[in-house]
Amino acid sequence: MLYSKLPNILNDINTLLFPVVCFGCNARLNRGEKHLCTVCRNQIPLTDFTFNEENPVDRIFYGRINIKKASSFLYFTEIGIVKNLIHNLKYKNQEQIGVFIGEWYGQILAENNFLKDIDYIIPVPLHSKKLKKRGYNQVTKFGKSLAKYLNAIFLDTILIKTENTKTQTKKGRLRRWHEQKNLYHLTNPLVLANKKILLLDDVITTGATMEICAKTLQEAPGVTIYITSMAVVL
């Protein structure tokens, strides 16, 4: 009997010595909680946007790029749970957060049949130097989790970033577009010909990066593009 309880006992000892905390509020997690405490999970701001009805993410791209549909999973604010989650994901080597968000979002998309027949899921790429420095693209595991639920292929080798640029969130959309319009390259457009693609990133702010990535993907003949992200600034 004692032997059968040993894993739980060891886990409790490990938790006492090295407590696991909530990525949303830094409170200590209780048994059964993972990544977020129950309070943060209940308070996390879901957008409830779908791929069937018009939503504010669609309107970000109106008149800018010909896409089929856009959406996002969470609302991003300068202070709050979502910012803490994505900060830990991007800068604290907590890649499991990408899996956590991707599993949650992917299950919702699959259950509601919001996305049909997606062929490829393609992430906004990092430049090779930034990828080497960070060690991972923060949306890779998010994208792989979505691909599992949508029965799609995660493809992160066909859209590449050709220049290593600094974060440009303070710049205007038009200026950013002119500076970024040659920053992405499609290695083999024919692979994507007549395919349905889901382009994804961590946070949509002005939409400028997604816009130019989508324009690059449209070098593939007959391609249909959907856009999504972990979070959106509205």
Side-chain angles (χ1 to χ4, degrees):
M1 180 68 72
L2 180 61
Y3 181 80
S4 66
K5 293 182 178 180
L6 187 58
N8 286 336
I9 294 172
L10 292 175
N11 183 64
D12 288 343
I13 293 172
N14 185 62
T15 300
L16 283 172
L17 295 175
F18 307 101
V20 180
V21 298
C22 171
F23 288 120
C25 68
N26 288 321
R28 182 170 172 171
L29 293 180
N30 297 315
R31 181 181 291 181
E33 295 177 335
K34 191 174 183 180
H35 306 313
L36 289 178
C37 67
T38 302
V39 173
C40 282
R41 178 145 187 157
N42 288 332
Q43 291 181 346
I44 196 167
L46 304 179
T47 66
D48 291 326
F49 299 153
T50 76
F51 283 88
N52 296 332
E53 299 176 354
E54 181 187 7
N55 66 68
V57 188
D58 287 319
R59 292 193 282 272
I60 291 175
F61 298 98
Y62 282 173
R64 295 167 55 178
I65 182 70
N66 183 22
I67 60 172
K68 184 72 173 180
K69 204 78 179 64
S71 192
S72 188
F73 185 42
L74 305 168
Y75 287 107
F76 185 95
T77 57
E78 282 302 315
I79 299 174
I81 300 166
V82 177
K83 182 179 181 179
N84 293 341
L85 273 174
I86 292 178
H87 179 83
N88 278 284
L89 170 62
K90 290 180 70 171
Y91 305 116
K92 302 294 184 180
N93 298 312
Q94 301 296 333
E95 286 190 87
Q96 70 271 26
I97 293 174
V99 178
F100 171 66
I101 298 175
E103 294 273 343
W104 191 355
Y105 192 29
Q107 186 173 358
I108 291 172
L109 293 175
E111 287 178 352
N112 293 279
N113 205 22
F114 286 148
L115 288 176
K116 297 179 181 178
D117 305 321
I118 293 294
D119 296 297
Y120 294 109
I121 293 179
I122 298 178
V124 169
L126 297 180
H127 187 266
S128 57
K129 288 183 179 179
K130 182 175 286 188
L131 183 62
K132 183 176 181 180
K133 181 179 180 181
R134 183 175 295 168
Y136 58 95
N137 184 331
Q138 67 271 14
V139 294
T140 292
K141 292 194 174 180
F142 172 64
K144 287 182 176 180
S145 296
L146 291 184
K148 178 179 69 175
Y149 281 94
L150 298 177
N151 295 315
I153 297 171
F154 181 78
L155 188 60
D156 62 353
T157 56
I158 198 162
L159 181 66
I160 62 172
K161 192 172 184 182
T162 59
E163 297 288 340
N164 191 19
T165 54
K166 295 181 179 179
T167 301
Q168 301 180 39
T169 55
K170 302 297 183 182
K171 298 181 179 180
R173 182 178 67 83
L174 186 60
R175 181 181 172 190
R176 289 179 64 193
W177 188 88
H178 281 296
E179 291 181 355
Q180 293 185 16
K181 62 182 180 179
N182 296 316
L183 290 185
Y184 298 94
H185 173 67
L186 199 57
T187 59
N188 190 346
L190 291 181
V191 170
L192 305 180
N194 302 309
K195 301 297 185 182
K196 293 182 179 179
I197 295 169
L198 179 62
L199 174 67
L200 56 84
D201 204 358
D202 52 359
V203 181
I204 295 175
T205 51
T206 66
T209 298
M210 297 289 258
E211 178 182 354
I212 189 57
C213 284
K215 286 182 182 293
T216 304
L217 290 172
Q218 287 179 339
E219 294 173 11
V223 71
T224 301
I225 298 174
Y226 295 78
I227 282 176
T228 198
S229 64
M230 296 181 186
V232 62
V233 178
L234 293 174

